[in-house]
Amino acid sequence: MTANTEGTIYLQLVTEKLKDRLQEIRERIAAGQQDIEHMHEYYWENYAEMDQYGYEEFDNQQALFHQINANQENLKLKRRLERMLDAPFFGRVDFCYEGEEEPEVFYIGIGNFSQSEGMVPMIYDWRAPVSGLFYDFDKGPAGYDAPLGRLSGEITEKWQYKIRGGRMIYEFESDVKIDDEILKQELGSNGDVQLKNIVRTIQREQNAIIRNTRDRILVIQGAAGSGKTSIALHRIAYLLYHDREHLRSSNVLVLSPNSVFSDYISHILPELGEENIQEMSFDLFAYRELRDVASDCEDRCDWLERQAAMPDEEETARYRWKQSEAFVGETEGFLAQLEDRLVDFRPVKFRGMEVPEQELIQMFYFKFQDTPLLARMEKIMDYYIDAWETLNNKDMSEEDRLSVKARFDSVYVTRDVYEIYQWLLEDCGCPALPKVSWEKRTLRYEDVFPMLYLKYRLLGQTAHKNIKHLVIDEMQDYSYLQYEILQTLFSCRMTILGDRAQTLDGEGQDVLEFLPKLLGRDLRKIVLNKSYRNTVEIAAYAQQFVQLPPPELFERHGAPVAEQTFPSLEAAVEQAAACLKLSESQDGGRYFETAAILTQTEREARQAYLMLKGRQIAASLVDRNSSAFPRGLTVTTYYLAKGLEFDQVFGITKEGDSPLLRQVRYICATRALHELSMYQYRTVQPAD
């Protein structure tokens, strides 16, 4: 019997066993639900007659909690097995242990599966130690680290499979080179709109990153389409599985570009057998932290839109300076001299107790010198309230505490971080912010993170100790100042990833020049220079926009990139609509599942969307408030499309050339999997 036949027969066997196990679990869940209902009925019918000490009530509650927890576990198992029914396994390795004559066969999938608890698994979880044989070795000598020690032997066969809907699509006998062939087939077909699940085609270098548990901070610098985001998420899934006693999904935070990207990646971890992890943009985090300082804050989208509509070189230079290491130094110098300017010492009196001015000065400058400036008076206040309560042998009322707090706070000239930031800007020679009340304050993006940094330095910050692993995506778009803030907020392990060629700024930066200084020398850098996304033609076109070495490509060819210039945005959109290949009813040729029209600004994207709508062409407009990634035709801006991929892309920009426009075109181009059209339109109509 050939292995080819074995794979198909084994699929049928596993599918039958999965269905049997699922039926058993469904019956268990139904019985458990019935038990829960009976417990509720029994409790309400008999609670009045239960013993006075509550022992019976306690026992009933414990039994109820136990049954509810059991049902929750069974529901999780049911969901995982239902996912496995679609594609029970994707790999196989035959391994002959030292001293044995016959090899053991291990099928690899997204989770463990055995016919019943305690039996040998029919499928092994991709994160299990034995699965390292599949990822790390070719045919020949191999080994893996089991709980009892190193097990060695020889791999006699390796197979890779693609299964969808419980049906075998293809199967290959695998060696080190087969991954690229499978990737070609994966990327050459109409794949899912979600990130390609590289767990079926993980190569050795990718697997080494995923299974890395030694390095506290791992920085992945990857070319567009290198799979770095997917690798990072697989790594989190692996760590959650292997450190399940100490690390839960609630302990992991992903800082991602926007909520659309969050939706785009949301199916990756559940597919790998893990629950969703927390996701948030750093801009949203800053807005929440600054709600007591200003009523609203701009985000990166506002900044990009304004720069596209009306470029302001002075504002751009000021923005870059306020995010720099030099600005952090200026702020620290300002803080060193702020004490005398911020405090107007005078005695504090309350109900027969007085704190003399000299004593306040002593406490402020010496006893609590390590406490942030705006938090020192509260420390001094607590110290004296303790003294007052000891002297009077009673607790101070809440009303009196508020009265005392107001007296200590009055020693500050101001406690308004916004006003103190104004002083900093004045000292630095920058334009001042509007002097308005809280409800009228809207911080420009250039001031958001400088204000947040100043606030933390004046008041301190709460360390996010519940976050044990932080993932930072699009690392090239974070400034020195933002990393300075992040390293004070999170002292946990980190996975940081990005591509310095995909910066949202016309002037790129290599964050690896300063990250080791900020995050420590135990940072490990890994470069992924092999791109799996674009065809050779698309990659070659995109390369002209960046001054960096080209990525390594495998030979997947497609249509040439189409370039055209049009008299108007409307004409460019009409051409894009005419070239769409989303319809299955086309006569011959290929069609795609996803396509995108990418513009530079939200206004252009909305105009394009309305034009398509007027022509009864189905499309989805994705803006900064969108939270879902739709199928079909998407109309959005280049900066919201970062990290996403589409079968067919139409990049539409104004005519011209500038560092920012080159970045826009590079990002648009690298979103395309199979076909790319790059259009420019004239903003000034030619004279007749």
Side-chain angles (χ1 to χ4, degrees):
M1 183 183 292
T2 66
N4 185 298
T5 309
E6 284 181 26
T8 305
I9 291 176
Y10 198 73
L11 173 60
Q12 294 170 347
L13 174 64
V14 167
T15 300
E16 289 174 10
K17 299 301 181 185
L18 275 166
K19 288 178 178 177
D20 290 345
R21 187 81 191 280
L22 268 168
Q23 182 58 34
E24 175 193 323
I25 290 167
R26 289 189 186 107
E27 291 172 0
R28 199 184 302 171
I29 290 169
Q33 190 59 41
Q34 198 169 32
D35 286 346
I36 290 169
E37 290 170 6
H38 288 158
M39 288 179 194
H40 278 299
E41 288 174 9
Y42 177 82
Y43 177 80
W44 288 113
E45 288 173 2
N46 299 282
Y47 79 95
E49 300 172 9
M50 290 182 182
D51 63 273
Q52 60 176 322
Y53 298 106
Y55 295 133
E56 187 178 357
E57 182 179 359
F58 176 79
D59 289 343
N60 273 279
Q61 286 181 346
Q62 290 299 105
L64 178 61
F65 290 148
H66 176 77
Q67 188 59 60
I68 289 172
N69 288 336
N71 256 28
Q72 290 297 324
E73 289 301 312
N74 282 325
L75 282 167
K76 284 171 65 176
L77 179 59
K78 173 177 166 284
R79 285 194 293 269
R80 179 165 63 80
L81 295 181
E82 285 171 344
R83 286 197 298 270
M84 290 183 74
L85 260 183
D86 180 63
F89 53 86
F90 51 80
R92 164 183 161 175
V93 60
D94 296 9
F95 184 64
C96 190
Y97 290 96
E98 278 186 358
E100 299 291 329
E101 294 184 3
E102 293 295 321
E104 285 196 40
V105 178
F106 300 99
Y107 283 87
I108 315 296
I110 63 170
N112 278 322
F113 171 69
S114 53
Q115 286 182 248
S116 60
E117 293 176 12
M119 292 187 68
V120 173
M122 297 181 74
I123 302 168
Y124 287 83
D125 192 292
W126 68 278
R127 295 157 292 196
V130 71
S131 300
L133 294 171
F134 178 75
Y135 293 119
D136 294 334
F137 298 96
D138 304 317
K139 290 181 184 178
Y144 66 95
D145 293 316
L148 296 178
R150 183 75 177 175
L151 297 176
S152 300
E154 182 179 355
I155 293 175
T156 58
E157 286 195 58
K158 271 180 69 177
W159 286 77
Q160 293 189 27
Y161 308 93
K162 182 180 173 87
I163 300 169
R164 282 290 181 269
R167 187 169 62 89
M168 185 72 74
I169 307 300
Y170 60 72
E171 46 193 321
F172 288 101
E173 188 165 12
S174 174
D175 57 33
V176 71
K177 295 179 181 177
I178 200 67
D179 287 324
D180 281 0
E181 296 304 314
I182 294 177
L183 278 169
K184 285 180 187 178
Q185 202 155 342
E186 287 279 292
L187 294 170
S189 65
N190 295 328
D192 295 337
V193 296
Q194 307 295 342
L195 284 168
K196 308 299 177 187
N197 189 346
I198 64 161
V199 79
R200 295 176 177 83
T201 48
I202 293 174
Q203 296 187 343
R204 281 188 197 167
E205 60 176 352
Q206 297 163 334
N207 189 46
I209 299 169
I210 290 165
R211 293 170 183 256
N212 182 315
T213 58
R214 299 182 308 277
D215 296 301
R216 194 178 74 85
I217 297 175
L218 197 61
V219 180
I220 306 170
Q221 181 90 269
S226 60
K228 53 189 174 294
T229 301
S230 190
I231 291 169
L233 291 174
H234 281 78
R235 181 172 188 240
I236 295 304
Y238 178 80
L239 295 174
L240 285 167
Y241 178 82
H242 278 269
D243 195 18
R244 61 174 73 87
E245 290 185 12
H246 304 105
L247 188 68
R248 299 180 179 276
S249 57
S250 59
N251 301 136
V252 180
L253 173 64
V254 176
L255 291 180
S256 60
N258 52 64
S259 54
V260 176
F261 182 76
S262 298
D263 175 70
Y264 187 73
I265 66 173
S266 64
H267 298 288
I268 294 294
L269 284 180
E271 185 177 349
L272 298 174
E274 301 295 344
E275 298 303 311
N276 277 340
I277 55 181
Q278 302 178 72
E279 296 157 277
M280 184 186 294
S281 75
F282 199 26
D283 287 352
L284 177 59
F285 176 85
Y287 164 71
R288 291 179 177 177
E289 291 286 280
L290 290 172
R291 279 181 296 188
D292 58 339
V293 176
S295 62
D296 201 4
C297 299
E298 284 187 346
D299 60 16
R300 190 68 178 265
C301 299
D302 294 307
W303 159 254
L304 291 168
E305 290 287 327
R306 191 165 58 253
Q307 288 301 302
M310 193 177 297
D312 184 330
E313 291 185 11
E314 284 188 18
E315 184 184 6
T316 300
R318 199 168 58 243
Y319 164 77
R320 288 175 181 158
W321 180 72
K322 287 182 180 179
Q323 309 298 314
S324 69
E325 184 177 3
F327 177 80
V328 173
E330 287 277 355
T331 305
E332 289 303 311
F334 169 78
L335 288 166
Q337 300 176 28
L338 181 61
E339 293 175 338
D340 296 340
R341 185 176 178 182
L342 187 61
V343 185
D344 180 15
F345 290 106
R346 54 183 176 274
V348 174
K349 299 177 183 179
F350 178 75
R351 295 195 179 175
M353 188 177 80
E354 178 177 323
V355 185
E357 179 181 330
Q358 196 57 39
E359 202 166 334
L360 275 178
I361 292 171
Q362 177 71 19
M363 301 283 274
F364 191 86
Y365 285 112
F366 298 100
K367 186 173 181 63
F368 295 110
Q369 63 178 330
D370 294 329
T371 301
L373 277 174
L374 288 182
R376 283 188 204 175
M377 279 299 169
E378 189 167 352
K379 286 277 191 181
I380 297 170
M381 180 193 77
D382 290 341
Y383 180 85
Y384 280 104
I385 286 177
D386 286 345
W388 186 91
E389 289 179 338
T390 301
L391 183 66
N392 291 277
N393 197 27
K394 64 176 181 178
D395 292 340
M396 185 179 286
S397 68
E398 193 60 39
E399 185 179 342
D400 284 348
R401 278 179 170 269
L402 290 173
S403 176
V404 172
K405 185 179 186 309
R407 295 174 197 214
F408 275 96
D409 283 350
S410 69
V411 175
Y412 289 110
V413 174
T414 180
R415 285 184 55 82
D416 187 349
V417 175
Y418 186 90
E419 187 176 342
I420 298 169
Y421 183 67
Q422 292 274 40
W423 298 351
L424 172 59
L425 293 181
E426 182 183 305
D427 286 5
C428 294
C430 293
L433 304 184
K435 293 183 179 180
V436 293
S437 56
W438 175 86
E439 64 276 2
K440 295 179 181 178
R441 294 175 182 173
T442 297
L443 295 180
R444 281 209 166 194
Y445 193 62
E446 68 178 88
D447 294 305
V448 170
F449 289 97
M451 185 80 78
L452 184 60
Y453 180 77
L454 183 65
K455 178 187 173 181
Y456 285 159
R457 292 291 285 112
L458 289 170
L459 287 162
Q461 72 283 333
T462 303
H464 295 261
K465 294 181 179 177
N466 64 307
I467 300 300
K468 298 179 180 177
H469 201 109
L470 178 69
V471 180
I472 302 173
D473 197 19
E474 303 293 353
M475 67 180 183
Q476 71 280 355
D477 290 330
Y478 289 77
S479 66
Y480 180 94
L481 176 64
Q482 289 172 315
Y483 281 111
E484 183 80 62
I485 293 170
L486 285 168
Q487 66 91 15
T488 64
L489 290 172
F490 302 99
S491 58
C492 58
R493 301 171 72 91
M494 298 183 190
T495 302
I496 305 172
L497 55 144
D499 172 15
R500 61 179 174 157
Q502 291 189 66
T503 177
L504 288 175
D505 197 333
E507 184 180 289
Q509 67 169 350
D510 185 357
V511 299
L512 284 168
E513 291 179 359
F514 58 76
L515 275 186
K517 174 184 173 183
L518 281 175
L519 302 180
R521 297 191 179 278
D522 57 346
L523 173 152
R524 186 180 176 198
K525 169 188 168 184
I526 294 175
V527 176
L528 298 175
N529 200 40
K530 189 165 189 177
S531 177
Y532 299 102
R533 179 184 291 148
N534 317 120
T535 62
V536 170
E537 290 77 9
I538 293 170
Y541 175 82
Q543 189 61 32
Q544 68 181 296
F545 298 114
V546 292
Q547 303 299 314
L548 293 170
E552 182 186 343
L553 304 168
F554 61 81
E555 292 292 316
R556 184 172 70 88
H557 288 274
V561 177
E563 287 188 278
Q564 283 181 266
T565 301
F566 296 90
S568 65
L569 173 65
E570 185 172 22
V573 174
E574 284 182 354
Q575 178 68 10
C579 295
L580 273 174
K581 294 184 178 179
L582 284 174
S583 172
E584 295 186 41
S585 61
Q586 287 186 13
D587 298 329
R590 73 184 304 175
Y591 66 90
F592 300 123
E593 287 187 4
T594 62
I597 292 177
L598 305 180
T599 65
Q600 186 174 357
T601 66
E602 284 185 343
R603 183 186 62 80
E604 292 168 327
R606 184 163 292 279
Q607 280 183 265
Y609 170 73
L610 292 173
M611 291 173 201
L612 294 167
K613 190 176 179 183
R615 290 161 178 73
Q616 281 76 52
I617 296 173
S620 300
L621 177 65
V622 169
D623 60 24
R624 72 183 79 180
N625 298 315
S626 302
S627 58
F629 179 72
R631 290 177 179 270
L633 175 59
T634 297
V635 184
T636 189
T637 59
Y638 78 99
Y639 56 81
L640 290 178
K642 278 188 68 177
L644 311 184
E645 58 189 27
F646 306 90
D647 294 322
Q648 186 181 25
V649 168
F650 301 90
I652 303 178
T653 63
K654 294 175 183 175
E655 191 177 35
D657 185 42
S658 69
L660 183 57
L661 273 173
R662 286 195 289 275
Q663 283 301 123
V664 173
R665 289 170 186 144
Y666 176 77
I667 292 169
C668 288
T670 52
R671 303 307 95 210
L673 284 168
H674 307 302
E675 286 194 13
L676 172 66
S677 299
M678 294 296 291
Y679 300 158
Q680 296 186 39
Y681 71 93
R682 301 186 187 98
T683 54
V684 179
Q685 304 303 317
D688 293 333

